[in-house]
Amino acid sequence: MYTRKTHGFTLVEILVAVALVGIAFVALIASNRAFTVANGQAIDISTAEFLAEQLRELTAALPVVDPQTTTSTFGPEEGTLAGYDDLDDFDGAVISPPIDAGRVAMSELAAFTQRITVENVSGSDFTQVVGNHTTPFVRVTVDILMNGRTITSTRWIRARLN
């Protein structure tokens, strides 16, 4: 009886192994790209949340209405952001490059914009906008945009205590 000893792999076995390695390589490249895109989006969202929190921190210590003119005006009485001394001064503000809680411009984040809206809302329904200074409640909405596209939006309610 004749027996044949085989040493090594056949051409078919090598081709199957190369095909499997190729498929695995393509899958790794595709997943790496997906992870990179997801990571970039997560960084943008984290930055946007940070910028919104900076405005919340900045406005937390400010009175709801102007200390001098009280409820006779709504909106900015001062000409510049540096002079804003109450919450309603920020109504309609669009800030780019964004600022931090100390009102310092963060030029390294120039692709981002902070947009602020301050509205009086009903005391019984915080979704209902009412006339300026007709209730002690204001809703602050902060939209953070990156290259003109909204990344995040947050809002909170403040009450006038006087």
Side-chain angles (χ1 to χ4, degrees), residues 75-96:
E77 300 86 18
E78 298 77 12
T80 65
L81 179 68
Y84 289 2
D85 61 354
D86 63 278
L87 187 59
D88 70 34
D89 286 349
F90 286 89
D91 183 42
V94 177
I95 306 168
S96 182

Side-chain angles (χ1 to χ4, degrees), residues 33 35 76-77 93 101 105-106 141:
R33 183 185 184 304
F35 292 143
E77 300 86 18
M106 293 183 276
T141 304

